[in-house]
Amino acid sequence: MPQIFIDGKKIETKAGKTIIEAAYENGMQVPHFCWHPELSVAGNCRMCLVEVGSPKRSADGSVELDENNNPVISYIPKLQIACGTPVSDGMYVNVNNAKVIEAQEAVMEFLLINHPLDCPICDEAGECKLQDYAFNHSNGESRFVETKNHKDKRQKWGPNVMYDAERCISCSRCIRYAQEVAKQDVLSFVQRGDHVTIKVADGEEFDNPYSMNVIEICPVGALTSPDFRFKSRVWDMSFNDSISFADSTGSNTKLGVRNNEILRVQPRTNMYVNKYWLSDDARLNHYDFVNQNRITEPMIRIDGKLEKVEWQDAIQETAIQINKFKPSEIFFLSSAKATNEDNYAFQKFARQVVKSNNIDFFSHIDKSFEDNFLGVADRSPNSNGATEILGGSQSSNYKVNELAGAISSGKIKCLIVMEEDFKHHEHIIEHLDKLELLVVMYYNHNAVTNKAHIVLAASTYAEIEGTYTNKDKRVQHFTPAIVTKENMRFMGLKMSRLDKFGSFNDRWTQHEARNCKQSWKIIQAVANAMNASWSYKRSEDIFEEISSKLMGFKNMNYDKLDLHQGLILYRADRPDPILNNYDSHVMKPE
């Protein structure tokens, strides 16, 4: 393997790698705008110019040495672009010497000539690559005194992407992404020269299931999301790692939160799952249910109407009512939307406390979402986890496809539902009126909770800690981003600074701290009210029990899951290598 020197540091890399790739794989930064590891090389921003040389050789081929016995390096007169220059054995590269710094400052001066001072109203401000480099790689002065070019602002490329031509630095990332990744080749440079801009092909719009990824890879504020525009300054938000709730892909995400509401969902790099990308559906359609229409307190049906009650009363009433039925008359509807920890506690409660083996879960299949990229038909985040935890539906006395008939015939008189809204199975809802007891743990008011005798307010994925197992059987760990009364101590400084330090009269601190609980905590409380003696304190306690009792999860723990960005069922002892992930924008708030 070639050995090269970057700023005097010796590194080893693979043949065929470019200088910038070799640097990033070894944790070294090379300034750049247009390069991205998943896109073809364009080499048009010139920000990654570096000095390249090799040892000088005498006529006999030997390496010339200086007075200190170090090789004399012969540098190429012109600087080279690190993104397009392959490495060769013995190559010397300077990234931070005076010649390179002068070139970086010149490039920044040119890029800023026509760039508008939109920072005070730009969504990208605070996580902008141009701001970052203007601070780190610019001399802070401009010799340009002429009138700036003015280009069209607020151009709608498609339903989910807005373009501001004045801010664009013509890096071509969006053009290459549309062509090479999204496979919708509708973007192109026009009017090349000092009035260059990007246009959508006539009669077309940039509209595909992954169009919004251009917003993240855009190094400036030229591309913005209509869904997020002007909602918040990013430094007033918290950004916490999570896993997408949209489907079984298990895409890694960051949840942007202010005022205890999710304002946007962004991709988080995981080269084993979603790489750098996220579907528009996962961004836009799976956070409103966290913010709106929430069940904020436990409820019991009194005189035909659901009334809010204290948790202790709801737990005691649930235990009393469940004890009225034979185990064979109770069905436990688990959920592929719930975490591994919640499903484990639920099946343990059913089998060990209630002594019932009537437990199964729904699948949520929608083939319209299938594609050859990240799209899958399974619209649940944890189907494989639920299957592994419950031991497969064959272990249940009744299957979910028999549930409607079992309720109608009176064989099932009590139904306990965990985190399930019966989507894709709506035909069963009309049979629920025949139940003598319907207990529902859920997040939002819906047709099922409206029929329930007891409603137990469950926390959403954005408010809990746990694990999901994706379509490839990769177990991934996530933590909360939203504050509830239950997790307030856990959240601490994971909250945004406005939410954490705001005063009672600030408009951004008027959010409601919902009185909901993670499902396993609800289940544990009911189990203990039925004379069990569970003592789980954290989700991690349950996961440790899972890893000790279920072979698929053997050798797993939260720290190891985080370190390796997930572990595969039955092969935690052979984890994937730890990668040094590329991050396009390094000036992001945490």
Side-chain angles (χ1 to χ4, degrees):
M1 290 174 54
Q3 293 181 342
I4 67 172
F5 296 84
I6 299 181
D7 286 343
K9 180 181 178 181
K10 184 178 179 180
I11 65 172
E12 194 173 78
T13 186
K14 294 180 181 177
K17 293 285 185 181
T18 60
I19 293 171
I20 199 169
E21 289 175 323
Y24 268 89
E25 287 176 357
N26 287 272
M28 305 171 73
Q29 294 279 344
V30 178
H32 65 280
F33 286 110
C34 67
W35 177 76
H36 190 283
E38 283 292 299
L39 304 177
S40 61
V41 173
N44 58 354
C45 78
R46 319 311 284 182
M47 192 65 198
C48 67
L49 287 169
V50 294
E51 190 174 35
V52 178
S54 58
K56 189 175 181 179
R57 295 184 180 274
S58 304
D60 61 0
S62 62
V63 175
E64 291 189 16
L65 302 176
D66 61 17
E67 61 275 10
N68 296 318
N69 209 34
N70 293 321
V72 176
I73 308 303
S74 178
Y75 288 100
I76 301 172
K78 289 186 177 181
L79 299 180
Q80 307 296 304
I81 52 173
C83 66
T85 305
V87 300
S88 60
D89 193 36
M91 175 183 282
Y92 281 73
V93 180
N94 290 321
V95 177
N96 291 302
N97 68 4
K99 190 175 181 179
V100 172
I101 291 172
E102 182 183 7
Q104 292 169 348
E105 291 176 349
V107 170
M108 285 302 302
E109 185 177 0
F110 277 116
L111 290 176
L112 292 170
I113 278 176
N114 288 303
H115 196 82
L117 189 58
D118 280 353
C119 301
I121 53 101
C122 180
D123 280 346
E124 192 78 0
E127 57 179 3
C128 177
K129 206 174 185 74
L130 194 66
Q131 285 181 328
D132 189 0
Y133 287 178
F135 180 78
N136 289 309
H137 304 291
S138 171
N139 62 15
E141 295 183 9
S142 176
R143 290 166 287 180
F144 187 79
V145 295
E146 289 76 13
T147 303
K148 289 179 180 287
N149 283 338
H150 294 288
K151 301 177 183 178
D152 293 337
K153 303 179 81 69
R154 297 177 295 280
Q155 300 177 50
K156 199 169 185 181
W157 277 2
N160 298 323
V161 180
M162 193 79 76
Y163 176 58
D164 189 320
E166 282 191 339
R167 300 174 187 168
C168 180
I169 62 169
S170 302
C171 72
S172 80
R173 274 185 170 188
C174 58
I175 297 174
R176 286 174 285 146
Y177 171 83
Q179 182 180 34
E180 300 165 10
V181 181
K183 307 298 182 184
Q184 191 191 10
D185 190 10
V186 296
L187 303 178
S188 180
F189 285 130
V190 297
Q191 295 179 265
R192 288 176 181 265
D194 63 342
H195 283 74
V196 66
T197 188
I198 299 173
K199 290 288 186 183
V200 182
D202 291 343
E204 301 284 348
E205 65 175 0
F206 187 51
D207 181 18
N208 65 76
Y210 304 93
S211 65
M212 295 178 73
N213 287 306
V214 295
I215 297 168
E216 268 79 45
I217 64 175
C218 178
V220 295
L223 299 176
T224 53
S225 162
D227 181 64
F228 179 72
R229 276 171 70 88
F230 308 126
K231 278 189 177 180
S232 176
R233 312 308 307 199
V234 296
W235 54 80
D236 291 336
M237 301 167 64
S238 61
F239 292 89
N240 289 295
D241 294 351
S242 189
I243 303 297
S244 175
F245 191 76
D247 53 42
S248 64
T249 302
S251 296
N252 287 219
T253 62
K254 274 189 178 291
L255 302 182
V257 174
R258 193 191 74 172
N259 197 27
N260 214 36
E261 290 185 337
I262 298 176
L263 298 186
R264 70 177 182 186
V265 181
Q266 294 176 288
R268 178 168 53 94
T269 302
N270 187 329
M271 299 305 294
Y272 299 116
V273 182
N274 56 301
K275 293 188 175 180
Y276 310 96
W277 318 123
L278 188 64
S279 70
D280 291 3
D281 170 68
R283 294 170 184 267
L284 300 175
N285 301 325
H286 299 275
Y287 72 84
D288 279 347
F289 80 93
V290 178
N291 299 338
Q292 302 168 9
N293 189 34
R294 292 295 302 277
I295 300 170
T296 59
E297 303 278 353
M299 297 181 289
I300 295 176
R301 190 170 295 279
I302 301 173
D303 296 329
K305 185 179 179 181
L306 285 173
E307 302 284 355
K308 293 181 180 180
V309 296
E310 296 295 326
W311 269 108
Q312 184 176 358
D313 296 332
I315 296 299
Q316 289 296 330
E317 182 65 15
T318 302
I320 290 170
Q321 294 300 323
I322 290 175
N323 276 324
K324 294 180 179 180
F325 299 92
K326 298 176 182 177
S328 60
E329 297 174 332
I330 305 173
F331 191 93
F332 292 82
L333 186 60
S334 198
S335 178
K337 299 177 182 180
T339 65
N340 292 314
E341 292 79 358
D342 295 326
N343 276 305
Y344 181 82
F346 196 59
Q347 65 82 30
K348 184 177 180 180
F349 174 65
R351 291 167 174 158
Q352 296 185 17
V353 179
V354 181
K355 310 295 185 184
S356 172
N357 201 39
N358 298 330
I359 183 168
D360 201 359
F361 66 95
F362 288 137
S363 61
H364 296 275
I365 304 298
D366 187 340
K367 292 187 178 296
S368 66
F369 284 91
E370 279 186 318
D371 60 32
N372 57 4
F373 192 18
L374 299 178
V376 292
D378 186 355
R379 307 303 295 162
S380 304
N382 196 32
S383 295
N384 279 330
T387 299
E388 194 71 22
I389 296 290
L390 302 184
S393 62
Q394 68 275 8
S395 63
S396 176
N397 293 335
Y398 291 103
K399 315 296 188 293
V400 286
N401 58 4
E402 302 169 322
L403 182 58
I407 294 173
S408 296
S409 66
K411 294 178 181 177
I412 295 298
K413 298 179 180 179
C414 171
L415 177 62
I416 302 175
V417 181
M418 180 182 71
E419 298 188 38
E420 182 56 69
D421 61 357
F422 289 68
K423 188 175 182 180
H424 304 112
H425 303 274
E426 289 84 353
H427 66 282
I428 299 178
I429 296 176
E430 64 186 59
H431 297 276
L432 300 181
D433 291 328
K434 298 180 181 179
L435 291 166
E436 294 181 23
L437 177 64
L438 175 59
V439 179
V440 179
M441 287 175 274
Y442 203 62
Y443 343 108
N444 306 108
H445 298 279
N446 58 41
V448 180
T449 61
N450 290 341
K451 293 177 178 291
H453 300 97
I454 301 174
V455 177
L456 303 171
S459 298
T460 66
Y461 79 104
E463 297 157 332
I464 63 174
E465 182 177 23
T467 56
Y468 288 144
T469 308
N470 77 349
K471 64 182 179 63
D472 299 319
K473 298 188 177 181
R474 178 177 290 272
V475 182
Q476 300 183 97
H477 173 231
F478 61 95
T479 56
I482 297 289
V483 180
T484 65
K485 288 184 178 179
E486 176 196 53
N487 73 11
M488 194 169 293
R489 290 183 63 188
F490 179 93
M491 286 298 293
L493 291 177
K494 283 167 65 69
M495 301 164 62
S496 74
R497 64 174 189 168
L498 290 187
D499 293 345
K500 179 68 176 177
F501 300 113
S503 301
F504 71 93
N505 57 343
D506 291 328
R507 70 176 184 273
W508 52 81
T509 60
Q510 304 308 307
H511 61 268
E512 178 181 16
R514 304 178 184 100
N515 191 18
C516 51
K517 295 180 181 292
Q518 188 166 355
S519 291
W520 72 258
K521 293 188 177 181
I522 300 172
I523 296 161
Q524 175 171 259
V526 176
N528 288 341
M530 297 175 68
N531 299 319
S533 56
W534 295 6
S535 58
Y536 304 120
K537 301 297 183 184
R538 305 167 300 165
S539 296
E540 190 170 8
D541 297 338
I542 299 182
F543 193 78
E544 287 176 358
E545 185 171 319
I546 292 172
S547 64
S548 68
K549 291 183 178 296
L550 300 182
M551 285 300 299
F553 295 87
K554 188 177 179 181
N555 295 319
M556 292 187 187
N557 58 60
Y558 282 178
D559 290 339
K560 199 172 178 181
L561 292 176
D562 293 338
L563 182 63
H564 294 277
Q565 292 191 286
L567 298 168
I568 306 295
L569 290 176
Y570 295 99
R571 45 164 283 192
D573 57 332
R574 291 170 285 123
D576 291 313
I578 301 169
L579 301 179
N580 184 21
N581 288 327
Y582 167 79
D583 190 352
S584 177
H585 294 35
V586 296
M587 191 178 175
K588 282 191 174 182
E590 292 295 340

